[in-house]
Amino acid sequence: MDSILIIVNIAIFLLLIAGLFLMQKKHVSFSKRVFTALGLGIVFGYLIHLIYGIDSEITVGTIDWLSIVGSGYVKLLQMVVMPLVFISIVGAFTKLKLTKNIGKISFLVIGILLGTTAISAAIGIGSTLGFGLDGIQLTEGEAEASRNAELAERATTVEGITVPQQILQMIPSNPFADLTGARPTSTIAVVIFAAFIGVAYLGVKRKDPENADLFAKIINSLYAIIMRVVTLVLRLTPYGILALITKVAATSNYEAIVSLGKFVIASYVALIAMFIVHLLLITFAKLSPAQYVKKALPTLTFAFTSRSSAGTLPMTIKTQSKDFGVSEGIANFAGSFGLSIGQNGCAGIYPAMLAVMVAPSAGIDPTSISFILTLIVVVMISSFGVAGVGGGATFASLIVLSVMDLPLAIVGLLISVEPLIDMGRTALNVSGAMTSGVLTSKVTGEFDKKVYDKPEVVEA
């Protein structure tokens, strides 16, 4: 009987897929198809949860099959991340788009990412104090105890890590291993390696123009192929979102969400407040925040449902360059650096909130100016090297709490609401990366305002 019901659920899912495909055939806009998929996934997933329950074999079996579409789509995006980063950065040099401002661009992108992370930490602290959150009130169940046991092992890997050591981890010692994404800082390492290749190309171009031209043609051809692959994968976005959000709605622990509702609400208040800061920065740059929201929403929606900044990278880059008018070189720098440096949600708001919540248990006044300023600086510096995949916030929190000499157990006590909050954190991370790209492009004069103001959203 269970197998029959699983087949019925899969059939319903396939009908929803067919409906989205029909919308595509009728040339319904990309953003409308994305939000339709989001709505259908929420309803379908909640019905599965309501009818069968979170732990039933039917729910588990259904989600297992649906993951072929959802997780498969994320894997396809991750498949093109490293080739896209490498070819795009090198291509920016061969097309002479970064040669004059490479230092300035890097400084601005990283500076904006770190600056917004400091602001996000301050907002996280304010939200925690405003809602009166206290880590002592959290209880440890079986799942939380198991999670803390896992974290105890991970904590040993971050203890004693200094800022210089974090920076050293970004430097590639084996670029071929980094191209496989072997390390949390692999993306930044690939950016650095690609920049070296680009600078080397410029040197060869001065001394041996013939070979340099051949290299440029090869890179440009590879870039065209990679971007075509990205386009093909992005066309699957509505189907991927439908599967991903169905899984979230079907497997979320709503009772735990209600019991930790105050923390969830405080987290989203902080996340929304920081997103408003992004919009204010866009406004200060004399650009329309409404246009930013309209064009960024499909990308932010995918980041929200997938919980993967790395998986969202192709969309992050394409949205900046094709919809916002950011130069390709800056779009790639901002998107790539945004995966491992200055993630506003995972490395900014979340660690700051946890630190404030556990400070009283360590005999520290979380309202003291010295504690707040120290925490903001620690959060900002510790944001280097945070992985752009699920679990990055946990890693960042362990580092911050360890540096501040605060209890680590609180990280595991929030496991039941971690997926829900991680959705918002990931979307904010991506927004921060895109904001840094737009602002950097505007400052360096490599910004096409006509593309930004264009009302139509470029279809994937």
Side-chain angles (χ1 to χ4, degrees), residues 270-389:
L271 292 169
I272 292 170
M274 189 59 210
F275 182 66
I276 292 174
V277 170
H278 291 168
L279 298 183
L280 289 174
L281 291 173
I282 294 294
T283 303
F284 292 153
K286 297 182 180 180
L287 298 171
S288 167
Q291 192 77 338
Y292 175 86
V293 172
K294 178 182 177 183
K295 292 189 171 184
L297 265 180
T299 300
L300 297 181
T301 299
F302 176 74
F304 185 85
T305 54
S306 69
R307 298 170 51 202
S308 172
S309 299
T312 313
L313 181 61
M315 297 182 72
T316 304
I317 292 173
K318 194 166 187 179
T319 298
Q320 289 181 81
S321 60
K322 303 300 182 183
D323 295 339
F324 289 156
V326 176
S327 70
E328 290 178 354
I330 293 177
N332 280 280
F333 263 66
S336 302
F337 277 119
L339 289 185
S340 298
I341 296 176
Q343 293 190 343
N344 292 179
C346 289
I349 288 175
Y350 193 67
M353 291 184 70
L354 297 192
V356 172
M357 288 174 67
V358 299
S361 65
I364 300 174
D365 179 10
T367 62
S368 68
I369 298 299
S370 60
F371 172 79
I372 291 174
L373 292 178
T374 302
L375 178 57
I376 291 174
V377 172
V378 169
V379 166
M380 183 173 64
I381 296 175
S382 298
S383 69
F384 279 87
V386 175
V389 295

Side-chain angles (χ1 to χ4, degrees), residues 69 115 122 181 206 208 216 220 241 248 257 287 313 336:
V69 177
R206 288 193 297 269
D208 189 356
N220 292 339
I241 285 179
V248 171
I257 292 172
L287 298 171
L313 181 61
S336 302

Side-chain angles (χ1 to χ4, degrees), residues 127-453:
S127 181
T128 306
L129 294 175
F131 278 86
L133 299 179
D134 189 347
I136 298 175
Q137 299 173 356
L138 300 176
T139 58
E140 182 177 86
E142 185 178 338
E144 288 77 13
S146 175
R147 177 61 169 167
N148 275 327
E150 295 177 13
L151 292 176
E153 296 180 8
R154 291 192 64 180
T156 59
T157 64
V158 301
E159 289 177 352
I161 292 181
T162 63
V163 174
Q165 288 173 340
Q166 284 184 269
I167 295 174
L168 278 174
Q169 288 178 353
M170 299 181 194
I171 300 175
S173 59
N174 185 345
F176 298 101
D178 284 320
L179 283 168
T180 67
R183 302 183 298 147
T185 55
S186 284
T187 305
I188 296 300
V190 170
V191 171
I192 294 172
F193 177 61
F196 269 97
I197 296 294
V199 172
Y201 159 80
L202 296 177
V204 173
K205 186 177 181 181
R206 288 193 297 269
K207 298 180 179 180
D208 189 356
E210 186 175 343
N211 278 326
D213 289 342
L214 176 61
F215 179 78
K217 289 179 181 179
I218 293 172
I219 292 296
N220 292 339
S221 297
L222 288 173
Y223 179 79
I225 296 296
I226 289 295
M227 289 309 298
R228 182 58 183 170
V229 173
V230 169
T231 300
L232 292 173
V233 174
L234 291 185
R235 285 179 177 174
L236 303 174
T237 299
Y239 314 115
I241 285 179
L242 173 63
L244 290 167
I245 199 64
T246 297
K247 177 181 178 180
V248 171
T251 59
S252 292
N253 189 335
Y254 294 104
E255 291 182 2
I257 292 172
V258 171
S259 65
L260 291 172
K262 193 176 181 181
F263 177 75
V264 174
I265 293 172
S267 297
Y268 271 91
V269 166
L271 292 169
I272 292 170
M274 189 59 210
F275 182 66
I276 292 174
V277 170
H278 291 168
L279 298 183
L280 289 174
L281 291 173
I282 294 294
T283 303
F284 292 153
K286 297 182 180 180
L287 298 171
S288 167
Q291 192 77 338
Y292 175 86
V293 172
K294 178 182 177 183
K295 292 189 171 184
L297 265 180
T299 300
L300 297 181
T301 299
F302 176 74
F304 185 85
T305 54
S306 69
R307 298 170 51 202
S308 172
S309 299
T312 313
L313 181 61
M315 297 182 72
T316 304
I317 292 173
K318 194 166 187 179
T319 298
Q320 289 181 81
S321 60
K322 303 300 182 183
D323 295 339
F324 289 156
V326 176
S327 70
E328 290 178 354
I330 293 177
N332 280 280
F333 263 66
S336 302
F337 277 119
L339 289 185
S340 298
I341 296 176
Q343 293 190 343
N344 292 179
C346 289
I349 288 175
Y350 193 67
M353 291 184 70
L354 297 192
V356 172
M357 288 174 67
V358 299
S361 65
I364 300 174
D365 179 10
T367 62
S368 68
I369 298 299
S370 60
F371 172 79
I372 291 174
L373 292 178
T374 302
L375 178 57
I376 291 174
V377 172
V378 169
V379 166
M380 183 173 64
I381 296 175
S382 298
S383 69
F384 279 87
V386 175
V389 295
T394 299
F395 185 71
S397 299
L398 290 174
I399 293 176
V400 171
L401 294 176
S402 178
V403 172
M404 298 291 290
D405 198 23
L406 295 171
L408 304 179
I410 188 173
V411 180
L413 297 179
L414 298 167
I415 183 175
S416 55
V417 294
E418 176 77 11
L420 178 62
I421 297 172
D422 195 38
M423 295 166 77
R425 290 190 313 231
T426 306
L428 187 67
N429 294 342
V430 172
S431 178
M434 291 195 294
T435 299
S436 70
V438 171
L439 297 179
T440 299
S441 192
K442 193 79 162 53
V443 171
T444 56
E446 298 186 35
F447 183 77
D448 191 338
K449 195 170 185 298
K450 291 181 180 179
V451 174
Y452 186 91
D453 291 333

